[in-house]
Amino acid sequence: MKITLCGGGNGVHALIPLISNNIPCSIDVFAPFEDEAERIRRGVEEYGKIEASGDFGIISGIPINVCKEVEGLIDESDIIIIVTPAFAHETILGAVIPHLKPGAIIGAIPSRSGFEFIANKLVKQYKKEDVILFGGQTFPWACRIKEYGKKVEILGKKSYITVAAIPSDKRLKVGEMLEVIFAMKVEVASNMLAITLGNVGQIIHPGIMYGMFRDIDNVIYHKDEIPLFYQGVTDKISSILNLLSDEICEVSDRIMEKYRIDLSGVLHLKDWLLQSYENEIEDKSTLTSALVTNRAYEGLKVPVKKVDINKFVPDFHSRYITEDVPFGLVVSRAISDMIEYKTPHIDKIIHKTSNWISKEYLENGKLVGRDIRETRIPQNYGILNVEELINLVQ
Ligand code: NAD
């Protein structure tokens, strides 16, 4: 099997040794961003491998080709897995799709929200309708690069991940293949809409940032004062996360009931945490305790940027906002519009967080703000109602 991984961050570093350890295959890397391809090649040349360490011990893998250019890399790939923040998906899909062989499988893990809209548009544009698209609800491991092109640390592993595919009748094939590649349980959701609405990053990341910084966005930390992110959640912040999750589940329930489409894969945040991190959470009693006592989140801090010697401020341009608002919350808000369901808590968080990144998505309560074209709302792809949404994902 020939696998191409797209990206050059934590996730791609982790997948090289993990997949190599699971199945005999050849792994190539398409890393178009800046000089990442060259840096990965250099790291592998110097160290001889990419090594992953975790509670399982140490494993390693060696990518065959690591390229900045796509030509010659994709034509024979059986499966292409994109592991980047969602704002990079379009660039990567646009480069890769023209080169796909018939029947190739291409998807993103995680796909976040609305991956299916852009992927479907490009597949049609390049007349590659014979490929299979997939999206994963989340990335299966928590991981961080220790040395670029050389070492990555695996902090935790989810109990399972959920994936879906287009066409949806290929979902079991995709699920079985990913189960082998990842050597973990893969749940198969009925359709990609369940992945889009079930995107938990849209709740956790903007929700915690909002909860922590809505009133103190000018805070400055010394290095040893930077708070923990997930494990820094208080009951007050959890209540915000619960409200976001309630609204998304309500949107999903209403669509399920009215349109008879299976969205049972859209879970409430606490249920998702307990199921995904079954073996990592010590105290499962509340949403706060499920976050704070989750070993996979240990040591992960608030994203910050350095402003002076030993002075750091929260980084409001981190992917927790730039990915999870336009490719998450805003998409769910757009779907709620289609069923005329009001989401006051989602709106409040979109307002504050988009302000932090100088973007305008909502204007007078409508998704017509000046930057709305940059988001992955279905309306941007000509999908204007639930029937059209269902038509695409089924
Ligand atoms: P990362 O921040 O390490 O990776 C970023 C990579 O994306 C870059 O290295 C680059 O290769 C690519 N990229 C960024 N901007 C780009 C652009 N403009 N054009 C092309 N490529 C670009 O991210 P990661 O930690 O590997 O995470 C990837 C995805 O997985 C994200 O959606 C993240 O939210 C999710 N995720 C990660 C973890 C984790 O522990 N790392 C856990 C759960 C989910």
Side-chain angles (χ1 to χ4, degrees), residues 4-24:
T4 303
L5 303 176
C6 303
N10 301 306
V12 165
H13 276 70
L15 284 184
I16 294 167
L18 287 164
I19 296 177
S20 306
N21 205 44
N22 296 338
I23 48 159

PDB file of all heavy atoms in Angstrom, residues 4-24:
ATOM      1  N   THR A   4       0.206   8.546   1.160  1.00  0.00           N
ATOM      2  CA  THR A   4       0.834   9.872   1.168  1.00  0.00           C
ATOM      3  C   THR A   4       0.226  10.684   2.303  1.00  0.00           C
ATOM      4  O   THR A   4      -1.002  10.807   2.407  1.00  0.00           O
ATOM      5  CB  THR A   4       0.612  10.612  -0.171  1.00  0.00           C
ATOM      6  OG1 THR A   4       1.131   9.798  -1.218  1.00  0.00           O
ATOM      7  CG2 THR A   4       1.328  11.954  -0.167  1.00  0.00           C
ATOM      8  N   LEU A   5       1.092  11.209   3.158  1.00  0.00           N
ATOM      9  CA  LEU A   5       0.638  12.085   4.236  1.00  0.00           C
ATOM     10  C   LEU A   5       0.867  13.520   3.796  1.00  0.00           C
ATOM     11  O   LEU A   5       1.931  13.831   3.236  1.00  0.00           O
ATOM     12  CB  LEU A   5       1.440  11.814   5.516  1.00  0.00           C
ATOM     13  CG  LEU A   5       1.405  10.372   6.030  1.00  0.00           C
ATOM     14  CD1 LEU A   5       2.332  10.220   7.242  1.00  0.00           C
ATOM     15  CD2 LEU A   5      -0.025   9.966   6.398  1.00  0.00           C
ATOM     16  N   CYS A   6      -0.097  14.393   4.025  1.00  0.00           N
ATOM     17  CA  CYS A   6       0.046  15.788   3.614  1.00  0.00           C
ATOM     18  C   CYS A   6       0.130  16.678   4.839  1.00  0.00           C
ATOM     19  O   CYS A   6      -0.756  16.635   5.697  1.00  0.00           O
ATOM     20  CB  CYS A   6      -1.140  16.224   2.758  1.00  0.00           C
ATOM     21  SG  CYS A   6      -1.363  15.200   1.305  1.00  0.00           S
ATOM     22  N   GLY A   7       1.184  17.497   4.886  1.00  0.00           N
ATOM     23  CA  GLY A   7       1.407  18.390   6.017  1.00  0.00           C
ATOM     24  C   GLY A   7       2.804  18.165   6.552  1.00  0.00           C
ATOM     25  O   GLY A   7       3.543  17.305   6.054  1.00  0.00           O
ATOM     26  N   GLY A   8       3.156  18.960   7.538  1.00  0.00           N
ATOM     27  CA  GLY A   8       4.504  18.798   8.094  1.00  0.00           C
ATOM     28  C   GLY A   8       4.545  19.128   9.574  1.00  0.00           C
ATOM     29  O   GLY A   8       5.582  19.493  10.108  1.00  0.00           O
ATOM     30  N   GLY A   9       3.391  18.980  10.230  1.00  0.00           N
ATOM     31  CA  GLY A   9       3.320  19.339  11.641  1.00  0.00           C
ATOM     32  C   GLY A   9       3.357  18.135  12.559  1.00  0.00           C
ATOM     33  O   GLY A   9       3.827  17.051  12.184  1.00  0.00           O
ATOM     34  N   ASN A  10       2.830  18.329  13.770  1.00  0.00           N
ATOM     35  CA  ASN A  10       2.853  17.282  14.794  1.00  0.00           C
ATOM     36  C   ASN A  10       2.237  15.974  14.288  1.00  0.00           C
ATOM     37  O   ASN A  10       2.816  14.898  14.463  1.00  0.00           O
ATOM     38  CB  ASN A  10       2.012  17.726  16.007  1.00  0.00           C
ATOM     39  CG  ASN A  10       2.501  19.012  16.617  1.00  0.00           C
ATOM     40  OD1 ASN A  10       3.666  19.136  16.974  1.00  0.00           O
ATOM     41  ND2 ASN A  10       1.618  20.000  16.727  1.00  0.00           N
ATOM     42  N   GLY A  11       1.049  16.109  13.665  1.00  0.00           N
ATOM     43  CA  GLY A  11       0.298  14.920  13.262  1.00  0.00           C
ATOM     44  C   GLY A  11       1.051  14.077  12.245  1.00  0.00           C
ATOM     45  O   GLY A  11       1.097  12.851  12.350  1.00  0.00           O
ATOM     46  N   VAL A  12       1.641  14.725  11.247  1.00  0.00           N
ATOM     47  CA  VAL A  12       2.378  13.975  10.223  1.00  0.00           C
ATOM     48  C   VAL A  12       3.612  13.318  10.852  1.00  0.00           C
ATOM     49  O   VAL A  12       3.920  12.149  10.571  1.00  0.00           O
ATOM     50  CB  VAL A  12       2.754  14.897   9.037  1.00  0.00           C
ATOM     51  CG1 VAL A  12       3.818  14.259   8.155  1.00  0.00           C
ATOM     52  CG2 VAL A  12       1.506  15.205   8.208  1.00  0.00           C
ATOM     53  N   HIS A  13       4.292  14.045  11.734  1.00  0.00           N
ATOM     54  CA  HIS A  13       5.446  13.443  12.424  1.00  0.00           C
ATOM     55  C   HIS A  13       5.019  12.180  13.187  1.00  0.00           C
ATOM     56  O   HIS A  13       5.728  11.187  13.200  1.00  0.00           O
ATOM     57  CB  HIS A  13       6.061  14.443  13.406  1.00  0.00           C
ATOM     58  CG  HIS A  13       7.035  15.383  12.767  1.00  0.00           C
ATOM     59  ND1 HIS A  13       6.654  16.379  11.901  1.00  0.00           N
ATOM     60  CD2 HIS A  13       8.390  15.462  12.848  1.00  0.00           C
ATOM     61  CE1 HIS A  13       7.718  17.034  11.486  1.00  0.00           C
ATOM     62  NE2 HIS A  13       8.793  16.503  12.033  1.00  0.00           N
ATOM     63  N   ALA A  14       3.846  12.234  13.822  1.00  0.00           N
ATOM     64  CA  ALA A  14       3.406  11.075  14.613  1.00  0.00           C
ATOM     65  C   ALA A  14       3.003   9.904  13.707  1.00  0.00           C
ATOM     66  O   ALA A  14       3.306   8.749  13.998  1.00  0.00           O
ATOM     67  CB  ALA A  14       2.226  11.485  15.496  1.00  0.00           C
ATOM     68  N   LEU A  15       2.328  10.232  12.598  1.00  0.00           N
ATOM     69  CA  LEU A  15       1.801   9.144  11.750  1.00  0.00           C
ATOM     70  C   LEU A  15       2.905   8.336  11.077  1.00  0.00           C
ATOM     71  O   LEU A  15       2.724   7.153  10.802  1.00  0.00           O
ATOM     72  CB  LEU A  15       0.840   9.702  10.699  1.00  0.00           C
ATOM     73  CG  LEU A  15      -0.555  10.094  11.200  1.00  0.00           C
ATOM     74  CD1 LEU A  15      -1.438  10.527  10.038  1.00  0.00           C
ATOM     75  CD2 LEU A  15      -1.227   8.942  11.949  1.00  0.00           C
ATOM     76  N   ILE A  16       4.036   8.957  10.779  1.00  0.00           N
ATOM     77  CA  ILE A  16       5.103   8.217  10.064  1.00  0.00           C
ATOM     78  C   ILE A  16       5.533   6.992  10.885  1.00  0.00           C
ATOM     79  O   ILE A  16       5.434   5.858  10.401  1.00  0.00           O
ATOM     80  CB  ILE A  16       6.273   9.144   9.692  1.00  0.00           C
ATOM     81  CG1 ILE A  16       5.794  10.177   8.653  1.00  0.00           C
ATOM     82  CG2 ILE A  16       7.469   8.342   9.164  1.00  0.00           C
ATOM     83  CD1 ILE A  16       6.746  11.343   8.417  1.00  0.00           C
ATOM     84  N   PRO A  17       5.976   7.148  12.134  1.00  0.00           N
ATOM     85  CA  PRO A  17       6.323   5.942  12.895  1.00  0.00           C
ATOM     86  C   PRO A  17       5.122   5.071  13.257  1.00  0.00           C
ATOM     87  O   PRO A  17       5.220   3.840  13.223  1.00  0.00           O
ATOM     88  CB  PRO A  17       6.987   6.485  14.169  1.00  0.00           C
ATOM     89  CG  PRO A  17       6.677   7.940  14.215  1.00  0.00           C
ATOM     90  CD  PRO A  17       6.348   8.388  12.838  1.00  0.00           C
ATOM     91  N   LEU A  18       3.985   5.690  13.572  1.00  0.00           N
ATOM     92  CA  LEU A  18       2.834   4.886  14.001  1.00  0.00           C
ATOM     93  C   LEU A  18       2.359   3.972  12.875  1.00  0.00           C
ATOM     94  O   LEU A  18       2.187   2.762  13.069  1.00  0.00           O
ATOM     95  CB  LEU A  18       1.682   5.801  14.456  1.00  0.00           C
ATOM     96  CG  LEU A  18       1.904   6.487  15.818  1.00  0.00           C
ATOM     97  CD1 LEU A  18       0.936   7.657  16.012  1.00  0.00           C
ATOM     98  CD2 LEU A  18       1.768   5.492  16.967  1.00  0.00           C
ATOM     99  N   ILE A  19       2.186   4.533  11.682  1.00  0.00           N
ATOM    100  CA  ILE A  19       1.698   3.698  10.562  1.00  0.00           C
ATOM    101  C   ILE A  19       2.759   2.661  10.187  1.00  0.00           C
ATOM    102  O   ILE A  19       2.446   1.488   9.960  1.00  0.00           O
ATOM    103  CB  ILE A  19       1.313   4.568   9.343  1.00  0.00           C
ATOM    104  CG1 ILE A  19       0.140   5.486   9.693  1.00  0.00           C
ATOM    105  CG2 ILE A  19       0.952   3.691   8.145  1.00  0.00           C
ATOM    106  CD1 ILE A  19      -0.278   6.450   8.583  1.00  0.00           C
ATOM    107  N   SER A  20       4.022   3.090  10.143  1.00  0.00           N
ATOM    108  CA  SER A  20       5.091   2.134   9.774  1.00  0.00           C
ATOM    109  C   SER A  20       5.099   0.938  10.707  1.00  0.00           C
ATOM    110  O   SER A  20       5.439  -0.177  10.324  1.00  0.00           O
ATOM    111  CB  SER A  20       6.470   2.797   9.865  1.00  0.00           C
ATOM    112  OG  SER A  20       6.494   3.953   9.108  1.00  0.00           O
ATOM    113  N   ASN A  21       4.725   1.202  11.962  1.00  0.00           N
ATOM    114  CA  ASN A  21       4.718   0.143  12.951  1.00  0.00           C
ATOM    115  C   ASN A  21       3.519  -0.793  12.790  1.00  0.00           C
ATOM    116  O   ASN A  21       3.533  -1.917  13.267  1.00  0.00           O
ATOM    117  CB  ASN A  21       4.669   0.796  14.343  1.00  0.00           C
ATOM    118  CG  ASN A  21       5.242  -0.081  15.410  1.00  0.00           C
ATOM    119  OD1 ASN A  21       6.286  -0.680  15.211  1.00  0.00           O
ATOM    120  ND2 ASN A  21       4.560  -0.181  16.542  1.00  0.00           N
ATOM    121  N   ASN A  22       2.479  -0.295  12.124  1.00  0.00           N
ATOM    122  CA  ASN A  22       1.234  -1.074  12.031  1.00  0.00           C
ATOM    123  C   ASN A  22       1.124  -1.945  10.788  1.00  0.00           C
ATOM    124  O   ASN A  22       0.571  -3.041  10.853  1.00  0.00           O
ATOM    125  CB  ASN A  22       0.016  -0.131  12.064  1.00  0.00           C
ATOM    126  CG  ASN A  22      -0.091   0.604  13.394  1.00  0.00           C
ATOM    127  OD1 ASN A  22       0.454   0.138  14.384  1.00  0.00           O
ATOM    128  ND2 ASN A  22      -0.770   1.739  13.403  1.00  0.00           N
ATOM    129  N   ILE A  23       1.590  -1.430   9.650  1.00  0.00           N
ATOM    130  CA  ILE A  23       1.420  -2.207   8.410  1.00  0.00           C
ATOM    131  C   ILE A  23       2.632  -2.035   7.487  1.00  0.00           C
ATOM    132  O   ILE A  23       3.277  -0.989   7.508  1.00  0.00           O
ATOM    133  CB  ILE A  23       0.166  -1.782   7.594  1.00  0.00           C
ATOM    134  CG1 ILE A  23       0.121  -0.250   7.442  1.00  0.00           C
ATOM    135  CG2 ILE A  23      -1.101  -2.317   8.136  1.00  0.00           C
ATOM    136  CD1 ILE A  23      -0.750   0.154   6.282  1.00  0.00           C
ATOM    137  N   PRO A  24       2.884  -3.044   6.644  1.00  0.00           N
ATOM    138  CA  PRO A  24       3.913  -2.861   5.636  1.00  0.00           C
ATOM    139  C   PRO A  24       3.376  -1.914   4.558  1.00  0.00           C
ATOM    140  O   PRO A  24       2.310  -2.175   3.989  1.00  0.00           O
ATOM    141  CB  PRO A  24       4.127  -4.264   5.071  1.00  0.00           C
ATOM    142  CG  PRO A  24       2.937  -5.050   5.475  1.00  0.00           C
ATOM    143  CD  PRO A  24       2.236  -4.352   6.578  1.00  0.00           C
TER     144      PRO A  24
END
